Each structure stands twice: as structure tokens, then as C-alpha cells.
Amino acid sequence: MRVSVIGTGYVGLVSGTCFAEIGHDVTCIDIDPKKIAMLEDGKSPIYEPGLEELLHRNIKSKRLTFSTNYDSVKEAKSIFLAVGTPSADDGSANLEYLKAAAVSVAKEMTEGAIIVIKSTVPVGTCEMIKELVANTTDKAFHIVNNPEFLKEGTAVDDFMKPDRVVIGHADQFAADAMSELYAPLVRQGNPIYMMSNLSAEMTKYAANCFLATKISFINEIAKLCDLRGADINEVRDGIGSDKRIGSQFLYPGPGYGGSCFPKDVKALMHTAKESGMTLKVVEATEEVNEEQKKRMFEKIMSYYGDVKGKTFTFWGVAFKANTDDIRETSAITMAKELVKAGAKVNYYDPEAANNFEELMESMDETQGSTFKFENKYDALNNSDGLVTMTEWREFTSPDFEEIKSRLNKSVIFDSRNLYKTGKVLDLGFDYFAIGKRIVK
């Protein structure tokens, strides 16, 4: 099938490349000529394990091409809209990029084309896009909602081996076409769920907000463990083994971030308010998450009392491992709070450091007080504490003697619970984690 994908961000690039990998002819379109030139050279603008290998293979096979214009839309049977829908100031999803892409597609598409909304959009967007396209062209078309459920860091595997595929549609022709498109990915029996467009839009938001809620729940229980002396790792084992609960997304940490959960939580709350109701659980999820981002800062302040003139080292600044994505990362909040209190911040991240450096230099609050390092141990020199912020594998089994020799004071603030409590205490460190029982 000939496929066009509008947008070469995280979702569009992974989706387009993987569609090419399973045999479809794909053109990815973006208005940024620098990004397109980079992609044509086989270089990915984002870090995602396994993605560049697929780019090279499918560019070479000529199943995957890139363009800054919409010419390929004229021959495409399915046209995916995978542009960003960032949060507006009021928390709603900003749909301006989606509207612009839909109008551009409408001007070029062939008769009977299928416009697939891959972007995460509020409930009812399908009707708005349908009306917008109909006002732009006299050609017949179909509207499909096909939300993505990719996890950054494992996106290629998630796409190629999906737990499920969700298709929102209003007619059988579109449903059959989507089944054909995805057929190679569901041969092992993974389901394709066919539903209304509105239900597909709601499914995406409900899924992300539920996962965000699990994270905030375990973080709040971890805080209570701190206060009462229980150990969150033991509690997590005890509840995660219950099949009704499950262990996924029950890892305590510095709060969720990234491109999806923060904006989707806000967008669903906004949609509810437009409908005359309040999503109390979802609002609590966001409130707890914002507090959690400062949790380790509070422990640092409790330990030191005054951090003016001190330096702290972040290991990791990406919002999670295996990505260079720093959107809504807790490291931003932590850096701001420490700098505001008079401290400086060194940081090392194997993939996200350059993105974080650019952001820190652009912010008045942190400018001149945060420093990038190319080596995780060098970042510790003359530092007053190691703060683990991202669960990169290279941080899980470090040389603790090397850490101790570099730090001014042997103290670790472990916001990812990476280390065994007994071991670091036996090595002479002061140790602080999230919800873990610390017995000296």
C-alpha cells in the first residue's frame, strides 16, 4: 500500500519507517528542510534504539522516502497525520498543526483517500477534521483514528509487535483498508479493535491517564513509606503480583515526564471541564506528580539545610532511559530548585545532555549555573552529592569507590532506587532514595 505520513516527529518517523519495514511504500513529509535532509542521509533526528538501522535498510530498498512537499499524497491510499498536539496555555491540545496538515492533504489527495489521525487528539476532533477537509475539497474521503501506544525507548518493538491496534472508523471500507495495512503485525493473534472514531480518541487518553495515575499512586505510597518506615520495593512486590494490579508502571521515581503523559493528562482534564465535569482522580494524578518532581530536592535540603555555594551532579537528564527526550523531565524542576537555592548543577547523560544544555542556556533561572560533562565520573569532581535522575543501565553498577573519591561528601540521592541500600551504606555513603527503608 502507498502510504504518506505527515510529520517526522517521534510518532510519525517510527510509524513511517516501520510501515516501510513490513513492505509498504512510504513517504514521510515534514516542513523542516534540515530534518528532511538529515533523514535522507539516514540519520535520525531522535534517539530511539533500532530506528537508524531500519532507516538505512528501507531507504536503500527505496520503500522509504522523505519530502518537504505533499506531492506523494496524490498517490497515497492512506495518509497519516502524525503532527504534534502540544498543550496550549489553558491545558487544551493545540490542534493548529493538525488543522494545517489536514488542509494541505485535502488539496492534494486522491479520490477516496483515507485520512488517518495518528496524533493524540481530544474526543470530537475527528468530526472537526472531517468538516475542515470537506470544506477544502469536493473529493470523497474517509476519516480514521488510529492512536499510537508506543513507549519511548522501545518504540520500534512496540510498533512491530503491538499489544493491540485500535482503529476508529465510520465505514467498512476504511476498516478493511486498515486491517490490510496492519495485517503483517498481528499474525500472532494480537487483536485489532474496531470502534467508533470517538471511542478511539477516548481510548488513547484513557490509557495514558490511567498509566500516569499508576505512577502517581506508587509515588504517593512511597512517600508514606518514607514517613512510616515501610519499604516501597517490598510493597511493590506485594501488590504487583496481584494480576488485577500488575507490576508495570509501579516503579517509584521522580515523577513522570515526556511528550505524552503531561499533555494528555492536561488535555483530558480540559475536555472534562468543557463537558461540565471534573476528573478528580486525574487532577490528583497531576498534582501528585508536580509534588513528586521536588521530592528529592526536599531530601537534599533536609540533609544539608543550606545548599548555597554547593554543587550537585545529575546522572541522567532525560525523562526516562533509552531516549534523548527532555520534555517535562523532572531534571528541569530539580535544576531550577537547586539553582534558586544557590547551588550549581553538573550533569551527564549519554544521549540527552545536548538537548538539556540548550534548554538550560535558554532559561534565565538556570543560565550559567548548570554544566554539561562528557563523562559521568568527571561530573562528580568537587560535587556535594550524586543525584540519579534517569535509569540508564550504565548507572546501575558504577564504581562506588570512584564515586566516593570524586565527591566532596559521600552522599547519594537516588531518585530511581537504582542501588542496594545495604551495599551503599556498607561502603560508607549516606543514602537517600524514594520510599526505601534506610537502616544505618
Side-chain angles (χ1 to χ4, degrees):
M1 185 183 297
R2 290 191 177 276
V3 176
S4 289
V5 179
I6 315 303
T8 59
Y10 183 80
V11 174
L13 185 57
V14 171
S15 299
T17 304
C18 289
F19 276 138
E21 177 69 9
I22 60 175
H24 300 294
D25 292 318
V26 181
T27 300
C28 292
I29 299 168
D30 200 288
I31 60 174
D32 185 346
K34 291 183 179 179
K35 185 184 286 189
I36 292 300
M38 184 179 185
L39 288 166
E40 287 177 333
D41 286 339
K43 299 176 182 177
S44 174
I46 59 172
Y47 176 77
E48 180 62 38
L51 183 57
E52 279 203 356
E53 178 184 348
L54 294 188
L55 278 173
H56 293 157
R57 181 159 61 241
N58 287 285
I59 290 171
K60 184 177 181 180
S61 69
K62 298 184 179 179
R63 287 192 301 269
L64 180 63
T65 57
F66 301 93
S67 179
T68 56
N69 62 61
Y70 282 72
D71 288 349
S72 68
V73 170
K74 297 174 182 177
E75 299 179 350
K77 181 176 181 179
S78 296
I79 305 150
F80 283 78
L81 305 183
V83 298
T85 54
S87 290
D89 292 338
D90 62 357
S92 64
N94 183 345
L95 301 178
E96 293 308 309
Y97 303 111
L98 184 71
K99 293 178 184 177
V103 169
S104 296
V105 165
K107 292 177 180 178
E108 302 293 340
M109 68 183 188
T110 188
E111 183 80 17
I114 302 170
I115 298 175
V116 186
I117 301 175
K118 194 73 171 169
S119 304
T120 301
V121 295
V123 179
T125 301
C126 55
E127 296 299 329
M128 181 269 290
I129 294 296
K130 184 177 180 180
E131 181 178 350
L132 186 63
V133 173
N135 289 335
T136 307
T137 181
D138 293 329
K139 295 174 182 175
F141 62 93
H142 309 266
I143 293 286
V144 166
N145 286 90
N146 175 216
E148 53 84 18
F149 299 99
L150 307 178
K151 300 185 294 293
E152 292 192 43
T154 60
V156 172
D157 279 347
D158 290 344
F159 194 96
M160 301 300 283
K161 303 171 185 177
D163 293 331
R164 79 290 201 195
V165 176
V166 171
I167 304 295
H169 69 94
D171 61 82
Q172 195 58 45
F173 176 84
D176 291 343
M178 290 298 100
S179 294
E180 176 190 345
L181 185 69
Y182 277 103
L185 303 179
V186 294
R187 286 177 177 166
Q188 300 302 314
N190 293 337
I192 296 180
Y193 292 114
M194 295 292 180
M195 59 186 70
S196 71
N197 294 81
L198 296 174
S199 293
E201 290 169 338
M202 183 65 82
T203 296
K204 170 61 176 180
Y205 277 109
N208 276 0
C209 289
F210 182 76
L211 294 175
T213 298
K214 289 186 73 173
I215 294 172
S216 283
F217 175 81
I218 201 66
N219 279 332
E220 197 157 43
I221 295 298
K223 186 174 182 179
L224 188 57
C225 285
D226 276 336
L227 297 173
R228 302 301 295 186
D231 191 300
I232 192 60
N233 287 344
E234 295 170 351
V235 173
R236 178 182 177 276
D237 289 341
I239 65 175
S241 58
D242 188 326
K243 293 180 180 179
R244 297 169 300 174
I245 298 172
S247 59
Q248 290 189 330
F249 288 84
L250 281 182
Y251 290 92
Y256 60 75
S259 63
C260 294
F261 288 2
K263 74 177 182 68
D264 291 353
V265 165
K266 288 182 174 66
L268 191 61
M269 290 192 300
H270 186 273
T271 296
K273 289 177 180 177
E274 284 185 328
S275 302
M277 70 170 290
T278 299
L279 292 176
K280 296 178 182 179
V281 172
V282 178
E283 290 198 351
T285 292
E286 183 184 47
E287 182 181 350
V288 169
N289 193 63
E290 290 306 306
E291 292 175 355
Q292 190 68 17
K293 289 182 176 182
K294 299 179 182 180
R295 183 70 179 136
M296 196 54 77
F297 171 73
E298 293 168 355
K299 294 194 175 194
I300 291 172
M301 293 302 293
S302 178
Y303 179 77
Y304 272 111
D306 182 10
V307 297
K308 189 174 183 179
K310 297 190 181 301
T311 298
F312 296 91
T313 297
F314 291 1
W315 274 7
V317 291
F319 87 94
K320 63 179 288 190
N322 297 319
T323 180
D324 60 356
D325 195 342
I326 62 165
R327 285 174 288 185
E328 302 285 344
T329 175
S330 300
I332 298 171
T333 300
M334 282 287 292
K336 285 182 177 180
E337 293 297 323
L338 285 167
V339 171
K340 185 168 64 174
K344 295 182 179 180
V345 175
N346 297 339
Y347 59 91
Y348 164 80
D349 189 291
E351 295 295 338
N354 289 340
N355 291 340
F356 196 72
E357 179 183 40
E358 184 177 346
L359 178 64
M360 291 294 101
E361 290 181 351
S362 71
M363 301 171 65
D364 292 338
E365 308 101 298
T366 55
Q367 202 172 67
S369 297
T370 61
F371 306 92
K372 181 182 73 173
F373 283 78
E374 302 296 331
N375 179 281
K376 65 177 181 284
Y377 293 116
D378 289 345
L380 296 169
N381 291 339
N382 297 315
S383 179
D384 297 287
L386 165 61
V387 186
T388 64
M389 292 299 301
T390 312
E391 69 281 22
W392 288 98
R393 284 186 179 179
E394 68 174 271
F395 301 153
T396 59
S397 299
D399 184 334
F400 287 104
E401 292 301 329
E402 183 71 18
I403 293 173
K404 187 183 292 187
S405 71
R406 303 278 189 132
L407 290 172
N408 291 334
K409 189 173 180 62
S410 300
V411 56
I412 297 175
F413 300 95
D414 185 6
S415 69
R416 292 289 182 175
N417 291 358
L418 297 181
Y419 306 128
K420 292 184 178 179
T421 304
K423 180 176 182 178
V424 291
L425 292 179
D426 288 346
L427 289 170
F429 287 92
D430 289 337
Y431 181 62
F432 300 87
I434 302 294
K436 290 174 68 176
R437 184 172 63 247
I438 310 296
V439 181
K440 297 183 180 179

